[in-house]
């Protein structure tokens, strides 16, 4: 009986010693090491992980200073499918002479897609800008495979070039930008007149006697 107790005691002591050794060795080998984070990687300060870029000036603003010569260069991307000279033949796409201001699908003899023919209205500045940005979004199902022009400056230049080829659509008015107030100055309250520089202050009228 005593032998059994002695053996059990040694087994228990050995287990306790092994557990203690495991804890001590774990702390020793992991000393100075960071635990593995749940999400790998690190954050770079000052860099946004999401969010859109600044949209920049409106297309109406860009059209005021757009350059037809620069637009002719942009048209080089269209020349594989389109002609633009007066009386030019249709190619993969229709001839684009005098397109601005005309209805969608106006060129006789060209097989437009039903998607484009179903879009109401004419080729004004807004519709042409939307079309050049993404033909497939403008007319879902169009046969035109061109992805679109991502730069607003390119679209503005191309549109004024198209407008110069047999069209004469007036430019849209540029949006009015209100001037920011000068720092330190406050606008007069509604119903109050701003004081005139150099004017004498007006004395308050006496209240009438009751």
């Amino acid at each position: 009986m005593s032998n059994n107790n002695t053996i059990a005691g040694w087994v228990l002591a050995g287990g306790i010693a092994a557990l203690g050794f495991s804890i001590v060795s774990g702390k020793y080998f992991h000393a100075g090491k960071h635990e593995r984070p749940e999400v790998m990687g690190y954050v770079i300060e000052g860099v946004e992980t999401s969010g859109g870029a600044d949209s920049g000036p409106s297309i109406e603003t860009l059209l005021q200073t757009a350059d037809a010569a620069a637009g002719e260069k942009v048209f080089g991307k269209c020349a594989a499918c389109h002609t633009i000279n007066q009386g030019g033949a249709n190619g993969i796409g229709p001839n684009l002479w005098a397109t601005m201001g005309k209805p969608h699908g106006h060129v006789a003899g060209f097989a437009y897609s039903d998607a484009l023919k179903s879009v109401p209205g004419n080729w004004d500045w807004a519709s042409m800008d939307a079309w050049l940005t993404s033909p497939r979004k403008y007319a879902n199902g169009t046969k035109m495979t061109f992805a679109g022009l991502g730069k607003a400056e390119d679209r503005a230049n191309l549109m004024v070039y198209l407008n110069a080829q047999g069209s004469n659509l007036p430019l849209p008015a540029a949006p009015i930008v209100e001037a920011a107030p000068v720092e330190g100055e406050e606008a007069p309250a509604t119903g109050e007149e701003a004081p005139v520089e150099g004017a004498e202050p007006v004395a308050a009228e006496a209240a009438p006697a009751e």
Side-chain angles (χ1 to χ4, degrees):
M1 184 69 177
S2 60
N3 289 337
N4 291 337
N5 290 338
T6 302
I7 294 172
W10 281 109
V11 171
L12 180 60
I16 294 173
L19 178 61
F21 177 77
S22 175
I23 294 173
V24 172
S25 62
K27 291 183 178 180
Y28 175 79
F29 287 109
H30 287 83
K33 295 183 180 180
H34 298 288
E35 294 294 330
R36 180 184 178 89
E38 294 182 2
V39 179
M40 297 301 292
Y42 54 91
V43 177
I44 302 176
E45 294 185 2
V47 177
E48 295 183 1
T49 56
S50 62
D54 185 7
S55 59
S58 67
I59 195 67
E60 292 82 7
T61 299
L62 293 172
L63 283 169
Q64 309 306 314
T65 56
D67 183 8
E72 184 177 9
K73 294 180 180 179
V74 178
F75 183 78
K77 300 179 181 181
C78 314
C81 300
H82 297 276
T83 60
I84 198 169
N85 57 306
Q86 186 175 11
N90 295 325
I92 298 175
N95 174 264
L96 298 180
W97 173 262
T99 293
M100 297 298 294
K102 294 289 183 64
H104 297 88
H106 66 279
V107 177
F110 184 79
Y112 290 95
S113 65
D114 292 337
L116 185 59
K117 289 190 295 184
S118 65
V119 178
N122 297 345
W123 287 118
D124 57 16
W125 300 104
S127 60
M128 183 61 76
D129 180 53
W131 168 258
L132 293 175
T133 300
S134 177
R136 293 183 181 181
K137 286 184 179 180
Y138 184 78
N140 187 18
T142 179
K143 294 188 292 185
M144 185 168 173
T145 58
F146 183 63
L149 296 172
K151 293 182 63 175
E153 292 84 355
D154 287 347
R155 299 196 302 273
N157 291 335
L158 178 56
M159 284 192 286
V160 295
Y161 172 69
L162 292 174
N163 195 44
Q165 310 306 309
S167 303
N168 192 24
L169 199 64
L171 289 175
I176 299 175
V177 180
E178 295 183 1
V182 179
E183 185 177 355
E185 292 186 1
E186 295 183 1
T190 305
E192 296 182 2
E193 295 183 358
V196 179
E197 185 177 355
E200 294 292 333
V202 179
E205 295 182 1
E210 294 184 359

